[in-house]
C-alpha cells in the first residue's frame, strides 16, 4: 500500500537491527510507534495498556529481527500484525482475569494495563461475561483495529474518496467534484476502498508464540 516503507528500506532496517544498531531501533520506533499504539488502543481501549503493548512490540522486533520475512510483506505490515496479536493477547488476559476475579480483589500483578489485577483500564470490571461475550468483544476490537489500519494504509486517493463519502456524507457526484475527477473515477475509488475495507473481517493467520512477552506476538 502507499504508506508501506520501500522493500529496500525494510531489508536494510532488518539488517541493522540484526547487527544491534540502537539507532535503527530508534528509527523504527519513530516511524511506527504511533501505528502500534493506535492499533493497540483500538483493541484495549486504555492508554497504559497500549503503551505496554508498544514497548513489547518494539522489544520483540529488537530481539528477533530475523522473525521478519521480507518475502511475506512489508515491515510495516509485520509490525502492525505484531501489535494486533499482542493487543488481543493482553485483552484475553485481562478478560480472563476479570472473569476469575469479578470483584476486582486480586493482587497479582502483570495485568493488561500494568496496574495489577485490580482491573484498571482494559480489564475494568468485566466479571460476569461469558466466554462467548469475551470472544465477541475480541472479534469486534480486532475488526475495528484492522479497519483503522487498512484506511490509514490505503493509497491516498482511495482514502480521500472514502472520507468524503462516509465521513462528510458526500455522494459520488459531490466526491468527484471535490476531488476533481470524473464520476466514473470517483465510483472506482469508492469501490476499491470498500473492497479493501471488507478484508478487515478476514481471519488473521496464526503464529507460533515466540519466547517471552507473555507467550504472544
Amino acid at each position: 500500500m502507499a504508506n508501506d516503507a520501500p522493500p529496500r528500506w525494510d531489508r536494510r532496517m532488518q539488517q541493522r537491527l540484526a547487527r544491534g544498531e540502537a539507532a535503527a531501533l530508534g528509527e523504527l520506533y519513530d516511524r511506527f510507534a504511533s501505528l502500534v499504539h493506535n492499533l493497540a488502543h483500538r483493541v484495549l481501549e486504555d492508554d497504559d495498556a497500549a503503551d505496554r503493548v508498544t514497548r513489547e512490540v518494539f522489544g520483540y522486533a529488537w530481539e528477533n529481527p530475523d522473525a521478519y520475512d521480507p518475502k511475506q510483506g512489508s515491515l510495516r505490515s509485520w509490525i502492525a500484525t505484531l501489535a494486533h496479536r499482542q493487543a488481543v493477547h493482553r485483552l484475553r488476559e485481562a478478560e480472563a482475569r476479570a472473569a476469575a476475579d469479578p470483584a476486582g480483589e486480586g493482587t497479582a500483578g502483570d495485568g493488561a494495563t500494568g496496574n495489577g489485577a485490580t482491573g484498571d483500564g482494559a480489564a475494568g470490571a468485566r466479571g460476569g461475561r461469558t466466554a462467548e461475550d469475551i470472544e465477541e468483544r475480541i472479534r469486534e476490537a480486532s475488526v475495528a483495529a484492522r479497519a483503522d489500519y487498512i484506511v490509514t494504509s490505503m493509497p491516498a486517493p482511495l482514502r480521500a474518496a472514502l472520507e468524503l463519502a462516509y465521513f462528510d456524507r458526500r455522494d459520488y457526484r459531490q466526491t468527484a467534484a471535490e476531488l476533481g475527477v470524473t464520476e466514473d473515477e470517483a465510483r472506482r475509488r469508492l469501490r476499491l476502498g470498500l473492497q479493501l475495507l471488507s478484508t478487515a473481517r478476514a481471519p488473521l493467520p496464526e503464529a507460533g508464540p515466540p519466547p517471552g512477552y507473555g507467550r504472544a506476538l
Side-chain angles (χ1 to χ4, degrees):
M1 291 184 182
N3 288 347
D4 279 356
R8 183 177 300 175
W9 185 91
D10 291 357
R11 290 193 294 271
R12 186 167 63 248
M13 173 58 67
Q14 181 186 40
Q15 292 165 357
R16 292 173 63 197
L17 291 171
R19 291 196 297 267
E21 292 186 24
L25 179 61
E27 186 177 335
L28 187 74
Y29 184 90
D30 289 344
R31 184 175 291 239
F32 297 131
S34 62
L35 166 70
V36 172
H37 190 277
N38 289 342
L39 286 173
H41 192 278
R42 186 66 153 151
V43 173
L44 295 163
E45 299 178 344
D46 181 84
D47 281 333
D48 290 339
D51 287 344
R52 177 182 182 179
V53 168
T54 301
R55 292 193 300 270
E56 290 173 334
V57 166
F58 286 100
Y60 180 77
W62 171 248
E63 295 176 7
N64 302 273
D66 291 340
Y68 166 60
D69 182 359
K71 296 179 181 178
Q72 299 300 315
S74 71
L75 188 58
R76 186 178 197 272
S77 295
W78 181 65
I79 291 291
T81 299
L82 291 179
H84 174 264
R85 286 176 177 156
Q86 190 67 0
V88 168
H89 169 67
R90 291 303 178 192
L91 180 59
R92 288 184 188 279
E93 280 191 337
E95 294 282 10
R97 186 165 48 253
D101 185 22
E105 296 173 351
T107 57
D110 201 31
T113 64
N115 293 324
T118 56
D120 292 344
R126 288 175 179 164
R129 285 192 178 187
T130 66
E132 291 77 11
D133 291 337
I134 293 172
E135 288 304 312
E136 180 61 25
R137 161 79 179 101
I138 290 170
R139 280 192 295 271
E140 290 175 355
S142 296
V143 169
R146 293 175 65 193
D148 282 352
Y149 173 73
I150 290 167
V151 170
T152 58
S153 302
M154 69 175 51
L158 303 189
R159 185 169 64 252
L162 284 178
E163 288 173 348
L164 285 170
Y166 293 96
F167 296 128
D168 297 336
R169 301 301 180 91
R170 304 290 197 270
D171 62 27
Y172 75 91
R173 292 186 178 88
Q174 294 169 322
T175 297
E178 293 206 26
L179 294 177
V181 299
T182 66
E183 293 179 3
D184 284 344
E185 175 62 13
R187 284 196 293 264
R188 186 188 72 84
R189 292 182 185 184
L190 289 171
R191 183 176 65 255
L192 290 175
L194 290 173
Q195 287 174 348
L196 288 173
L197 272 178
S198 69
T199 64
R201 290 192 174 275
L204 283 173
E206 294 296 328
Y213 305 102
R215 294 296 188 268
L217 295 170

